[in-house]
Amino acid sequence: MASLSKAGAALTALREDLSGDVFAPGDAGYDEARVVFNSMVDKRPAVIAQCVDEDDVVRAVRFGRELDLNIAVRGGGHSVAGSALNDNGLVVDLRHMRAVTVHPGAEAVRVAGGATMSDLDRATEPYHLATTGGRASTTGVGGFVLGGGSGWLDRWCGLAVDNLLGVELVTADGERVRASADENPELFWGLHGGGGNFGVATALTLRLHELPDFSIALLLYLPENGPEAARTYRDVIAAGPNEASGALIYFTGPPEEFVPPHLVGTLLCGVLLTYAGPEAEMRKIAEPLLALPHESEIVGAMPYADVQCMIDDPPGFRNYWSAEYLTGAPDAYLDLYCARAASMPVPTGSMHALFPLGGAIAEGPHEYPVPYRDAPWGVHPFGLWEDPADDERAVQWVHDVRADARPWSTGAVYLNFIGDEGADRVVAGVGADNARRLGELKRKYDPDNVFRFNHNIKPA
């Protein structure tokens, strides 16, 4: 750590040189600038540099290195572990870097490092183009893509990293680097699941796909009808085309129009069938689900960007998540999964979700560090609650969901769905052989492990 006089002079220079705002403890706006969506995270950085362009990012990183500060990077701030912040270090905050430039003729889009899914989806929507995005519109694009990227479109057009065409980075030395299939290809490989370990992603270029129509069927079932709904949904996905996806979700009925008033605040089983195509085709696929006794339904065409907002997790809540990726979803597992919903904290915003994979995910390139690619299903206990008194039962429920799934677990995991669960889980998220190769890449681009506030790959 630098001397106080040197630190003070450097901070003064950063305030003068940075085009964006700089916050330190005691500054007006500091407390607002350090808030992330998970209210369980309460960290106090020494400096928050709100960058507005790549030059600002270079200045900020060099400032942090000069003072030997720990450096965290904030894109969307959606990491459940709160890795967008640190204590007594520097936060390189990209939230003002949100430009999205669509190139419809090339079916590609350039997305600045602080953009959210909503920024991306709303920009591509007028062109009837889309790419795999997170299932919440508030998710940051950068962290989502570099962590692998799973969403409603992944069975149809692959994981987000399967659509990655290029990345613009600022390295730990404050240097600008570009990575693509033709430029720094080994780094480009590592960015397909290696997250923010190799630098600050100031922009990403993604492949787009034509999406003229999108439609959904959202059906609510009483919990006692959940096992039958679960089996039916599993079979619908197995028999359906890659365009069909969605989720099986147990949740607390919110005070929304699609929830009958007497079921608000109670446990419900929901099936969301998404379809990258027209309503008529989707309805045919959804017939077995519609034939089951259900309490309400929303069935029809809906813009993809609107569907992306349907299960947004609101800021200010306490969050604890995890996941397991499964070899299948046989009846025995579905019975356990449905029974476990009874112990989830209700009424809260928690969601007990089971997602289908397969399709274009399994058909995609296997050389990247995304070892969950071959799993046909993933279970995602998503704890979301307000009262700290619920901490113990919410966290225990998440652990119990994982324990139930272990007999069917592939051992791999999607790192964007979990918090800090230790080094072994990071290896499970990239694959053991890939972890060694990523460690060598880390040694080249970040030998001092400057970028360690993430699912960390240590230099080999």
Side-chain angles (χ1 to χ4, degrees), residues 19-58:
S19 298
D21 294 322
V22 176
F23 295 98
D27 289 348
Y30 169 81
D31 283 328
E32 182 180 356
R34 70 183 181 89
V35 171
V36 289
F37 86 105
N38 184 359
S39 65
M40 295 180 81
V41 177
D42 183 18
K43 297 180 181 178
R44 300 187 64 83
V47 180
I48 300 172
Q50 293 192 330
C51 304
V52 300
D53 55 25
E54 189 179 53
D55 288 343
D56 272 0
V57 174
V58 170

Side-chain angles (χ1 to χ4, degrees), residues 309-329:
C309 305
M310 285 183 64
I311 59 171
D312 279 359
D313 45 320
F317 285 77
R318 304 173 77 77
N319 283 254
Y320 188 83
W321 320 337
S322 195
E324 290 289 340
Y325 279 69
L326 311 175
T327 57

Side-chain angles (χ1 to χ4, degrees), residues 18 51 53-64 92 169-171 173-176 202:
L18 210 74
C51 304
D53 55 25
E54 189 179 53
D55 288 343
D56 272 0
V57 174
V58 170
R59 293 186 188 103
V61 169
R62 290 179 177 172
F63 163 84
V92 179
L169 284 180
V170 173
T171 68
D173 291 332
E175 300 297 328
R176 295 171 172 85
T202 56

Side-chain angles (χ1 to χ4, degrees), residues 335-344 352 396-397 400-401 403-404:
D335 288 344
L336 271 176
Y337 165 80
C338 292
R340 181 58 63 189
S343 66
M344 69 185 288
H352 185 31
Q396 186 60 51
W397 166 69
D400 290 343
V401 173
D404 289 344

Side-chain angles (χ1 to χ4, degrees), residues 99-346:
V100 178
T101 305
V102 182
H103 302 283
E107 294 191 342
V109 59
R110 182 182 183 274
V111 186
T116 65
M117 282 304 148
S118 183
D119 297 324
L120 171 58
D121 297 333
R122 296 301 180 187
T124 59
E125 185 177 39
Y127 302 98
H128 302 292
L129 295 169
T131 195
T132 299
R135 295 175 178 90
S137 68
T138 52
T139 302
V141 175
F144 166 79
V145 173
L146 300 184
S150 173
W152 306 127
L153 298 180
D154 55 13
R155 281 175 39 82
W156 172 58
C157 64
L159 297 168
V161 285
D162 298 342
N163 294 284
L164 183 62
L165 300 175
V167 183
E168 298 162 42
L169 284 180
V170 173
T171 68
D173 291 332
E175 300 297 328
R176 295 171 172 85
V177 173
R178 296 176 185 270
S180 67
D182 300 320
E183 193 172 3
N184 296 304
E186 182 69 4
L187 174 60
F188 188 56
W189 170 85
L191 294 169
H192 285 70
N197 274 284
F198 308 108
V200 184
T202 56
L204 302 91
T205 301
L206 302 168
R207 181 184 299 109
L208 296 174
H209 304 262
E210 291 187 19
L211 186 66
D213 298 291
F214 197 77
S215 48
I216 68 163
L218 173 61
L219 297 98
L220 301 187
Y221 304 89
L222 295 176
E224 54 264 35
N225 295 325
E228 186 177 10
R231 289 175 171 80
T232 304
Y233 177 63
R234 174 199 60 196
D235 295 344
V236 161
I237 291 295
N242 289 357
E243 287 84 352
S245 189
L248 175 70
I249 308 175
Y250 281 88
F251 65 106
T252 300
E256 302 286 351
E257 287 186 11
F258 70 94
V259 179
H262 68 286
L263 296 178
V264 170
T266 69
L267 180 66
L268 294 170
C269 176
V271 170
L272 174 62
L273 176 68
T274 62
Y275 187 70
E279 177 183 348
E281 294 177 10
M282 181 274 297
R283 281 184 176 273
K284 193 166 188 61
I285 295 167
E287 283 176 357
L289 292 163
L290 290 163
L292 299 178
H294 54 281
E295 305 306 303
S296 73
E297 64 180 66
I298 297 175
V299 183
M302 183 179 290
Y304 168 69
D306 290 351
V307 176
Q308 285 282 72
C309 305
M310 285 183 64
I311 59 171
D312 279 359
D313 45 320
F317 285 77
R318 304 173 77 77
N319 283 254
Y320 188 83
W321 320 337
S322 195
E324 290 289 340
Y325 279 69
L326 311 175
T327 57
D331 290 354
Y333 174 68
L334 292 179
D335 288 344
L336 271 176
Y337 165 80
C338 292
R340 181 58 63 189
S343 66
M344 69 185 288
V346 174

